[in-house]
Amino acid sequence: MATLTGVQKAYILHWGEMGTRWGINRTVAQIHALLYLSPRALPAEEIAETLSVARSNVSTSIRELEGWGIVRAVHVLGDRREHYESMKDVWEMFRLVIEQRKRREIDPTREMLRRSLEELDPKEAGVDFTRERLAAMAGFFDAVTELHDQMKSLPTGTVRKLLRMGAKVSGKKKSRAASS
Amino acid sequence: MATLTGVQKAYILHWGEMGTRWGINRTVAQIHALLYLSPRALPAEEIAETLSVARSNVSTSIRELEGWGIVRAVHVLGDRREHYESMKDVWEMFRLVIEQRKRREIDPTREMLRRSLEELDPKEAGVDFTRERLAAMAGFFDAVTELHDQMKSLPTGTVRKLLRMGAKVSGKKKSRAASS
DNA sequence: CAAAACTTTCAGTTCAAACAGAATCTACAG
DNA sequence: CTGTAGATTCTGTTTGAACTGAAAGTTTTG
């Protein structure tokens, strides 16, 4: 079991805390942080020891990380155990997470809004106000979805470049966009 | 106490659930949903009854929503009680929330990464690998921050328009950006 | 200034998510 | 086929966030 340096500890703890704020299990986030900082793939046993959590807890958490597609099992010659490693490309990692969260949270919300707008009873009092609010919310999520779909169609590196300089482009575009 | 229609109930419940997934208290999210759908400002008492939660719970939750800047107290003639209403502009609402979350979560993370990179001990084993990982993560958060700062400087309506058609612009840029 | 109306704070209590450890399952080696 | 190493699932327990109701605080009104 590799002992952690001060910086590594700080990173893992911070990342775990960050996870909880965004609805991600603290241990899951910590394991990801550990693997992200690790130069070699680690067996579950070693992860459990390093972070002082139960082996079973690691098993469940790893499964979730595999579900996000940002951690995978690799095999080491002469060792029957699974070793786990994190994706190293930060941009791709966040792209994956965002894509999944969209699928799990944004899409169902859009569906709920769509169905609600359908179900609105015209005889009900205050229905116009409700419709307006739901439609406004739906419009927002539609726009976010459209943007996401477009980004998805770009090769990974491009997204990074666009995001890096995109802000400046937007600035220049401001007058044109506003007047259109 | 206004009784809720089926659609309103569905929206409030969904929004509450959505909140928990993003690290926002369920009751806080539900109260926001209720106020968002309400054509008039509501007193705390009525919110408590409508959602079946304790009056004190409403008090705390409202305070948090005021903290986000998306709910405010208004006064009704002939009534001493505070009445609460939600901002109705969805885009502005999310802009505010994003801005705050950046301040509360992204900024401290950048700070942690910055400090960690400083503290790295060159004599420690594997320090190069760690530095590389931290730097990559820092680069990502720097880019996100830059984009955010640029968006912040645009008038509200513009952000909406840019986001709506921005995707198409990106699409056209694809070849150019990829080859740069 | 005292009572009334309303709000916030505080001290326990509740509850769901997270967790540990045991039991079970799976794959492989001998 | 049997034993062993490792992974997963299951069940009860723990823990911390969320919540309630009571107490304290604040503002208004007569």
Side-chain angles (χ1 to χ4, degrees), chain A residues 89-150:
Chain A
D89 182 335
V90 182
W91 292 79
E92 177 62 7
M93 236 160 53
F94 278 97
R95 195 191 65 72
L96 280 168
V97 171
I98 286 167
E99 186 177 324
Q100 310 251 348
R101 296 206 76 154
K102 179 188 166 288
R103 246 219 322 273
R104 299 179 195 182
E105 288 136 23
I106 310 288
D107 290 353
T109 301
R110 292 214 302 152
E111 181 56 23
M112 181 274 292
L113 290 169
R114 196 193 55 69
R115 198 168 36 242
S116 291
L117 280 165
E118 264 181 19
E119 283 174 11
L120 276 181
D121 181 355
K123 297 187 292 293
E124 199 93 52
V127 69
D128 287 346
F129 186 86
T130 305
R131 177 178 291 117
E132 199 182 303
R133 297 271 69 74
L134 294 180
M137 191 60 77
F140 176 79
F141 281 107
D142 286 351
V144 170
T145 297
E146 200 188 336
L147 178 69
H148 173 266
D149 288 348
Q150 295 285 350

Side-chain angles (χ1 to χ4, degrees), chain B residues 160-176:
Chain B
R160 180 201 304 237
K161 283 168 196 156
L162 272 171
L163 194 51
R164 271 214 185 123
M165 63 179 209
K168 284 160 203 155
V169 177
S170 308
K172 281 178 198 154
K173 281 224 151 64
K174 178 178 167 182
S175 53
R176 250 188 290 165

Side-chain angles (χ1 to χ4, degrees), chain A residues 75-93:
Chain A
H75 291 248
V76 171
L77 275 174
D79 195 333
R80 271 175 53 192
R81 298 174 299 175
E82 306 260 21
H83 290 58
Y84 301 96
E85 70 176 13
S86 164
M87 179 177 283
K88 303 301 183 197
D89 182 335
V90 182
W91 292 79
E92 177 62 7
M93 236 160 53

Side-chain angles (χ1 to χ4, degrees), chain A residues 46-63:
Chain A
E46 189 170 342
I47 296 171
E49 283 172 10
T50 306
L51 299 179
S52 306
V53 296
R55 174 71 185 71
S56 58
N57 198 356
V58 172
S59 183
T60 312
S61 301
I62 288 281
R63 189 94 93 17

Side-chain angles (χ1 to χ4, degrees), chain B residues 16 18-19 33 57 67 73 89 91 107 121 127 155 161-162:
Chain B
M18 197 55 37
N57 197 359
D89 183 336
W91 292 79
D107 290 353
D121 181 355
V127 69
K161 283 168 196 156
L162 272 171

